[in-house]
Amino acid sequence: MLTDIAIWGGIVGMVVALISIIVVLIIKKDIKDALNRDVILFDQNFMLKKQAIEKCLKLLDDLNSTPSVAKNAEFIRRCKESYNELICVLNNLSIADKFLNYAVNLGKISSPELINFKIDCRKDIGLSLKHAQKQKIK
């Protein structure tokens, strides 16, 4: 009698162990797939944000080198287009507002303001600010 119970208990134990191993393998695959999707999404979001910020910084550099370009309709259109991209990707929308203010409304930007703006953009992307904070002008 006890041997029958022990045999059936062993068989049930093996079945439960086999089912748990299969469940672990299935869950492990799903977890890996979910993590891979998150990495891909993060990389794509980072690239979109980086491209939008690079575009606006190039426009500000153009404005800084030749202030007369601020009156150009094509330049204003490109600035507004870049502003719209920034609104879509930035975490801190005040950076996008600063960009629009510098590029379209003021038509000029001083060197300290440009440095501070670039540092704020770096911060929003999530890049290291260790050495950049030394240059920030208040």
Side-chain angles (χ1 to χ4, degrees), residues 2-61:
L2 286 175
T3 57
D4 291 338
I5 295 174
I7 290 174
W8 283 108
I11 293 173
V12 170
M14 287 190 291
V15 170
V16 169
L18 184 63
I19 291 173
S20 62
I21 289 172
I22 292 170
V23 168
V24 167
L25 292 176
I26 291 172
I27 291 174
K28 181 180 173 184
K29 183 182 181 317
D30 289 342
I31 291 172
K32 283 184 178 180
D33 290 343
L35 289 175
N36 286 337
R37 274 182 266 152
D38 288 344
V39 168
I40 290 170
L41 287 175
F42 175 77
D43 289 345
Q44 289 174 348
N45 288 341
F46 180 79
M47 288 306 296
L48 288 173
K49 186 182 281 194
K50 182 178 169 277
Q51 288 171 352
I53 288 176
E54 281 178 351
K55 187 176 179 181
C56 84
L57 291 178
K58 184 177 180 334
L59 289 170
L60 287 179
D61 287 338

Coordinates of all heavy atoms in Angstrom, one line a residue, residues 2-61:
L2 N 1.8 1.3 0.9 CA 2.7 2.5 1.0 C 3.6 2.6 -0.2 O 3.9 3.7 -0.7 CB 3.6 2.4 2.2 CG 2.8 2.8 3.6 CD1 3.8 2.6 4.7 CD2 2.3 4.2 3.5
T3 N 4.0 1.4 -0.8 CA 4.8 1.5 -2.0 C 4.0 2.0 -3.2 O 4.6 2.7 -4.0 CB 5.3 0.1 -2.3 OG1 4.2 -0.8 -2.5 CG2 6.3 -0.4 -1.3
D4 N 2.7 1.7 -3.3 CA 1.9 2.2 -4.3 C 1.8 3.7 -4.2 O 1.9 4.4 -5.2 CB 0.5 1.6 -4.3 CG 0.5 0.1 -4.7 OD1 1.5 -0.3 -5.4 OD2 -0.5 -0.6 -4.4
I5 N 1.6 4.2 -3.0 CA 1.5 5.7 -2.8 C 2.8 6.4 -3.2 O 2.8 7.4 -3.8 CB 1.1 6.0 -1.4 CG1 -0.3 5.5 -1.1 CG2 1.2 7.5 -1.1 CD1 -0.8 5.6 0.4
A6 N 3.9 5.7 -2.8 CA 5.2 6.3 -3.1 C 5.5 6.3 -4.6 O 6.0 7.3 -5.1 CB 6.3 5.5 -2.4
I7 N 5.1 5.3 -5.3 CA 5.3 5.2 -6.8 C 4.5 6.3 -7.4 O 4.9 7.0 -8.3 CB 4.9 3.8 -7.3 CG1 6.0 2.8 -6.8 CG2 4.8 3.8 -8.8 CD1 5.6 1.4 -7.2
W8 N 3.2 6.4 -7.1 CA 2.3 7.4 -7.7 C 2.8 8.8 -7.3 O 2.7 9.8 -8.1 CB 0.8 7.2 -7.3 CG 0.2 6.1 -8.0 CD1 -0.1 4.9 -7.6 CD2 -0.1 6.1 -9.4 NE1 -0.6 4.1 -8.6 CE2 -0.6 4.8 -9.7 CE3 0.0 7.0 -10.4 CZ2 -1.0 4.5 -11.0 CZ3 -0.4 6.7 -11.7 CH2 -0.9 5.4 -12.0
G9 N 3.3 9.0 -6.1 CA 3.8 10.3 -5.7 C 5.0 10.7 -6.5 O 5.2 11.8 -6.9
G10 N 5.9 9.7 -6.8 CA 7.1 9.9 -7.6 C 6.7 10.3 -9.0 O 7.3 11.2 -9.7
I11 N 5.7 9.6 -9.6 CA 5.2 9.9 -10.9 C 4.6 11.3 -11.0 O 4.9 12.1 -11.9 CB 4.2 8.8 -11.4 CG1 5.0 7.5 -11.6 CG2 3.6 9.2 -12.7 CD1 4.0 6.3 -11.9
V12 N 3.8 11.6 -10.1 CA 3.2 13.0 -10.0 C 4.3 14.0 -9.9 O 4.3 15.1 -10.5 CB 2.2 13.1 -8.9 CG1 1.7 14.5 -8.7 CG2 1.0 12.2 -9.2
G13 N 5.3 13.8 -9.1 CA 6.4 14.7 -8.9 C 7.2 14.9 -10.2 O 7.6 16.1 -10.5
M14 N 7.4 13.9 -10.9 CA 8.1 14.0 -12.2 C 7.3 14.8 -13.2 O 7.8 15.6 -14.0 CB 8.5 12.6 -12.8 CG 9.6 11.9 -12.0 SD 10.2 10.4 -12.8 CE 8.9 9.3 -12.6
V15 N 6.0 14.5 -13.3 CA 5.1 15.3 -14.2 C 5.1 16.8 -13.8 O 5.2 17.6 -14.7 CB 3.7 14.7 -14.2 CG1 2.7 15.5 -14.9 CG2 3.7 13.3 -14.8
V16 N 5.0 17.1 -12.6 CA 5.0 18.5 -12.1 C 6.3 19.1 -12.5 O 6.4 20.3 -12.9 CB 4.6 18.6 -10.6 CG1 4.9 20.0 -10.1 CG2 3.2 18.2 -10.4
A17 N 7.4 18.4 -12.2 CA 8.7 19.0 -12.5 C 8.9 19.2 -14.0 O 9.4 20.3 -14.4 CB 9.8 18.0 -12.0
L18 N 8.4 18.3 -14.9 CA 8.5 18.5 -16.3 C 7.7 19.6 -16.8 O 8.1 20.5 -17.6 CB 8.0 17.2 -17.0 CG 8.2 17.1 -18.5 CD1 9.6 17.3 -18.9 CD2 7.5 15.9 -19.1
I19 N 6.5 19.8 -16.2 CA 5.6 20.9 -16.6 C 6.3 22.3 -16.1 O 6.3 23.2 -16.9 CB 4.2 20.8 -16.0 CG1 3.5 19.6 -16.7 CG2 3.4 22.0 -16.1 CD1 2.2 19.2 -16.0
S20 N 6.8 22.3 -15.0 CA 7.5 23.5 -14.5 C 8.7 23.9 -15.3 O 9.0 25.0 -15.6 CB 7.8 23.4 -13.0 OG 8.8 22.4 -12.8
I21 N 9.4 22.9 -15.8 CA 10.6 23.2 -16.7 C 10.1 23.8 -18.0 O 10.7 24.7 -18.5 CB 11.4 21.9 -16.9 CG1 12.2 21.5 -15.6 CG2 12.4 22.1 -18.0 CD1 12.8 20.2 -15.7
I22 N 9.0 23.2 -18.5 CA 8.5 23.8 -19.8 C 8.0 25.2 -19.6 O 8.3 26.1 -20.4 CB 7.4 22.8 -20.3 CG1 8.0 21.5 -20.8 CG2 6.6 23.5 -21.5 CD1 7.0 20.4 -21.1
V23 N 7.3 25.4 -18.5 CA 6.8 26.8 -18.2 C 8.0 27.8 -18.1 O 7.9 28.9 -18.6 CB 5.9 26.8 -16.9 CG1 5.7 28.2 -16.5 CG2 4.6 26.0 -17.2
V24 N 9.0 27.4 -17.4 CA 10.2 28.3 -17.2 C 10.8 28.6 -18.6 O 11.2 29.7 -18.8 CB 11.2 27.6 -16.2 CG1 12.5 28.4 -16.3 CG2 10.7 27.6 -14.8
L25 N 11.0 27.6 -19.4 CA 11.5 27.8 -20.7 C 10.7 28.8 -21.6 O 11.2 29.6 -22.3 CB 11.8 26.5 -21.5 CG 12.8 25.6 -20.9 CD1 12.9 24.3 -21.6 CD2 14.2 26.3 -20.9
I26 N 9.4 28.6 -21.5 CA 8.5 29.5 -22.3 C 8.5 30.9 -21.7 O 8.6 31.9 -22.5 CB 7.0 28.9 -22.2 CG1 6.9 27.6 -23.0 CG2 6.0 30.0 -22.8 CD1 5.6 26.9 -22.9
I27 N 8.5 31.1 -20.5 CA 8.5 32.4 -19.8 C 9.9 33.1 -20.1 O 10.0 34.3 -20.4 CB 8.3 32.3 -18.3 CG1 6.8 32.0 -18.1 CG2 8.6 33.6 -17.7 CD1 6.5 31.7 -16.7
K28 N 11.0 32.3 -20.1 CA 12.3 32.8 -20.3 C 12.4 33.4 -21.8 O 12.9 34.5 -22.0 CB 13.4 31.7 -20.2 CG 14.8 32.2 -20.4 CD 15.7 31.0 -20.2 CE 17.1 31.4 -20.6 NZ 18.0 30.2 -20.5
K29 N 11.8 32.7 -22.7 CA 11.8 33.2 -24.1 C 11.0 34.5 -24.2 O 11.4 35.4 -24.9 CB 11.2 32.1 -25.0 CG 11.3 32.5 -26.5 CD 10.7 31.4 -27.3 CE 10.7 31.7 -28.8 NZ 10.3 33.1 -29.2
D30 N 9.8 34.5 -23.6 CA 9.0 35.7 -23.6 C 9.7 36.9 -23.0 O 9.6 38.0 -23.5 CB 7.6 35.5 -22.9 CG 6.7 34.6 -23.7 OD1 7.0 34.4 -25.0 OD2 5.8 34.0 -23.2
I31 N 10.4 36.7 -21.9 CA 11.1 37.8 -21.2 C 12.2 38.3 -22.1 O 12.4 39.5 -22.2 CB 11.6 37.3 -19.8 CG1 10.4 37.1 -18.9 CG2 12.6 38.3 -19.2 CD1 10.8 36.4 -17.6
K32 N 12.9 37.4 -22.7 CA 14.0 37.8 -23.6 C 13.5 38.6 -24.8 O 14.0 39.6 -25.2 CB 14.8 36.6 -24.1 CG 15.8 36.1 -23.1 CD 16.6 34.9 -23.7 CE 17.6 34.4 -22.8 NZ 18.4 33.3 -23.4
D33 N 12.4 38.2 -25.3 CA 11.7 38.9 -26.5 C 11.3 40.3 -26.0 O 11.5 41.3 -26.8 CB 10.6 38.1 -27.0 CG 11.0 36.8 -27.8 OD1 12.2 36.7 -28.1 OD2 10.1 36.0 -28.0
A34 N 10.7 40.4 -24.9 CA 10.2 41.7 -24.4 C 11.4 42.6 -24.1 O 11.3 43.8 -24.5 CB 9.4 41.5 -23.1
L35 N 12.5 42.1 -23.6 CA 13.7 43.0 -23.3 C 14.3 43.4 -24.6 O 14.7 44.6 -24.8 CB 14.7 42.2 -22.5 CG 14.3 42.0 -21.0 CD1 15.3 41.1 -20.3 CD2 14.1 43.3 -20.3
N36 N 14.3 42.5 -25.6 CA 14.9 42.9 -26.9 C 14.0 44.0 -27.6 O 14.6 44.9 -28.2 CB 15.0 41.7 -27.8 CG 16.1 40.8 -27.4 OD1 17.1 41.2 -26.8 ND2 16.0 39.5 -27.8
R37 N 12.7 43.9 -27.5 CA 11.8 44.9 -28.0 C 12.1 46.3 -27.3 O 12.1 47.3 -27.9 CB 10.4 44.5 -27.9 CG 9.9 43.7 -29.1 CD 8.5 43.4 -29.0 NE 8.5 42.1 -28.3 CZ 7.5 41.6 -27.5 NH1 6.5 42.3 -27.3 NH2 7.6 40.4 -26.9
D38 N 12.3 46.3 -26.0 CA 12.5 47.5 -25.2 C 13.8 48.1 -25.7 O 13.9 49.3 -25.8 CB 12.5 47.2 -23.7 CG 11.2 46.9 -23.2 OD1 10.2 47.2 -23.9 OD2 11.1 46.4 -22.1
V39 N 14.8 47.3 -25.9 CA 16.1 47.9 -26.3 C 16.0 48.5 -27.7 O 16.5 49.6 -27.9 CB 17.2 46.7 -26.3 CG1 18.5 47.2 -27.1 CG2 17.5 46.3 -24.9
I40 N 15.3 47.8 -28.6 CA 15.1 48.4 -29.9 C 14.3 49.7 -29.9 O 14.7 50.7 -30.5 CB 14.4 47.4 -30.8 CG1 15.4 46.2 -31.1 CG2 13.9 48.0 -32.1 CD1 14.7 45.0 -31.8
L41 N 13.3 49.7 -29.1 CA 12.5 51.0 -29.0 C 13.3 52.1 -28.4 O 13.2 53.2 -28.8 CB 11.2 50.7 -28.1 CG 10.1 49.9 -28.8 CD1 9.0 49.6 -27.8 CD2 9.6 50.6 -30.0
F42 N 14.1 51.8 -27.3 CA 14.9 52.8 -26.7 C 15.9 53.3 -27.7 O 16.1 54.6 -27.8 CB 15.7 52.2 -25.5 CG 16.6 53.2 -24.9 CD1 16.2 54.3 -24.1 CD2 18.0 53.1 -25.2 CE1 17.0 55.2 -23.6 CE2 18.9 54.1 -24.6 CZ 18.4 55.1 -23.9
D43 N 16.6 52.5 -28.5 CA 17.5 52.9 -29.5 C 16.9 53.8 -30.5 O 17.4 54.8 -31.0 CB 18.2 51.7 -30.2 CG 19.2 51.0 -29.2 OD1 19.5 51.6 -28.2 OD2 19.5 49.8 -29.5
Q44 N 15.7 53.4 -31.0 CA 15.0 54.2 -32.0 C 14.6 55.6 -31.4 O 14.8 56.6 -32.1 CB 13.8 53.5 -32.5 CG 14.1 52.3 -33.4 CD 12.9 51.5 -33.8 OE1 11.8 51.7 -33.2 NE2 13.0 50.6 -34.7
N45 N 14.1 55.6 -30.2 CA 13.7 56.9 -29.6 C 14.9 57.8 -29.4 O 14.9 59.0 -29.6 CB 13.0 56.6 -28.2 CG 11.7 56.1 -28.4 OD1 11.1 56.1 -29.4 ND2 11.2 55.5 -27.3
F46 N 16.0 57.2 -29.0 CA 17.3 58.0 -28.8 C 17.7 58.6 -30.1 O 18.1 59.7 -30.2 CB 18.4 57.1 -28.2 CG 19.6 57.8 -28.0 CD1 19.8 58.6 -26.9 CD2 20.7 57.7 -28.9 CE1 21.0 59.3 -26.7 CE2 21.9 58.3 -28.7 CZ 22.0 59.2 -27.6
M47 N 17.7 57.8 -31.2 CA 18.1 58.3 -32.5 C 17.2 59.4 -33.0 O 17.7 60.4 -33.5 CB 18.2 57.1 -33.5 CG 19.3 56.2 -33.3 SD 21.0 57.0 -33.2 CE 21.1 57.6 -34.8
L48 N 15.9 59.3 -32.8 CA 15.0 60.3 -33.2 C 15.3 61.6 -32.4 O 15.3 62.7 -33.0 CB 13.5 59.9 -33.0 CG 13.0 58.8 -34.0 CD1 11.6 58.4 -33.6 CD2 13.0 59.4 -35.4
K49 N 15.5 61.5 -31.1 CA 15.7 62.6 -30.3 C 17.0 63.3 -30.7 O 17.2 64.5 -30.8 CB 15.7 62.2 -28.8 CG 15.9 63.4 -27.9 CD 15.9 62.9 -26.4 CE 14.5 62.6 -25.9 NZ 14.5 62.4 -24.5
K50 N 18.1 62.5 -30.9 CA 19.4 63.0 -31.3 C 19.3 63.7 -32.6 O 19.9 64.8 -32.7 CB 20.4 61.8 -31.3 CG 21.8 62.2 -31.6 CD 22.7 61.0 -31.6 CE 24.0 61.2 -32.2 NZ 24.1 61.2 -33.6
Q51 N 18.6 63.2 -33.6 CA 18.5 63.8 -34.9 C 17.8 65.1 -34.8 O 18.2 66.1 -35.4 CB 17.8 62.9 -35.9 CG 18.7 61.7 -36.3 CD 17.9 60.7 -37.1 OE1 16.7 60.7 -37.2 NE2 18.6 59.7 -37.6
A52 N 16.7 65.2 -34.0 CA 16.0 66.4 -33.9 C 16.8 67.5 -33.2 O 16.8 68.7 -33.7 CB 14.7 66.2 -33.1
I53 N 17.6 67.1 -32.2 CA 18.4 68.1 -31.5 C 19.6 68.5 -32.4 O 19.9 69.7 -32.4 CB 18.9 67.5 -30.1 CG1 17.7 67.5 -29.2 CG2 20.0 68.3 -29.6 CD1 18.0 66.8 -27.9
E54 N 20.2 67.6 -33.1 CA 21.3 68.0 -34.0 C 20.8 69.0 -35.1 O 21.5 69.9 -35.4 CB 21.8 66.7 -34.8 CG 22.7 65.9 -34.0 CD 23.2 64.7 -34.7 OE1 22.7 64.4 -35.8 OE2 24.1 64.0 -34.2
K55 N 19.6 68.8 -35.6 CA 19.0 69.7 -36.6 C 18.8 71.1 -36.0 O 19.2 72.1 -36.6 CB 17.7 69.1 -37.1 CG 17.1 69.9 -38.2 CD 15.8 69.1 -38.7 CE 15.2 69.9 -39.8 NZ 14.0 69.2 -40.3
C56 N 18.3 71.2 -34.8 CA 18.1 72.5 -34.2 C 19.4 73.2 -33.8 O 19.5 74.4 -34.0 CB 17.1 72.4 -33.0 SG 17.9 72.0 -31.5
L57 N 20.4 72.4 -33.4 CA 21.7 73.0 -33.0 C 22.4 73.5 -34.3 O 23.0 74.5 -34.3 CB 22.5 72.0 -32.3 CG 22.1 71.6 -30.9 CD1 23.0 70.6 -30.3 CD2 22.0 72.8 -30.0
K58 N 22.2 72.8 -35.4 CA 22.8 73.2 -36.7 C 22.2 74.6 -37.1 O 22.9 75.5 -37.5 CB 22.7 72.2 -37.8 CG 23.3 72.6 -39.1 CD 23.2 71.5 -40.1 CE 23.9 71.8 -41.4 NZ 24.0 73.1 -41.8
L59 N 20.9 74.7 -36.9 CA 20.2 75.9 -37.3 C 20.7 77.1 -36.4 O 20.9 78.2 -36.9 CB 18.7 75.7 -37.2 CG 18.0 74.9 -38.2 CD1 16.6 74.6 -37.9 CD2 18.1 75.5 -39.6
L60 N 20.8 76.8 -35.1 CA 21.3 77.8 -34.2 C 22.8 78.2 -34.5 O 23.1 79.4 -34.4 CB 21.2 77.4 -32.8 CG 19.8 77.4 -32.2 CD1 19.8 76.9 -30.8 CD2 19.1 78.8 -32.3
D61 N 23.6 77.3 -34.9 CA 24.9 77.6 -35.3 C 25.0 78.4 -36.6 O 25.8 79.4 -36.7 CB 25.7 76.3 -35.5 CG 26.1 75.6 -34.2 OD1 26.1 76.3 -33.2 OD2 26.4 74.4 -34.3

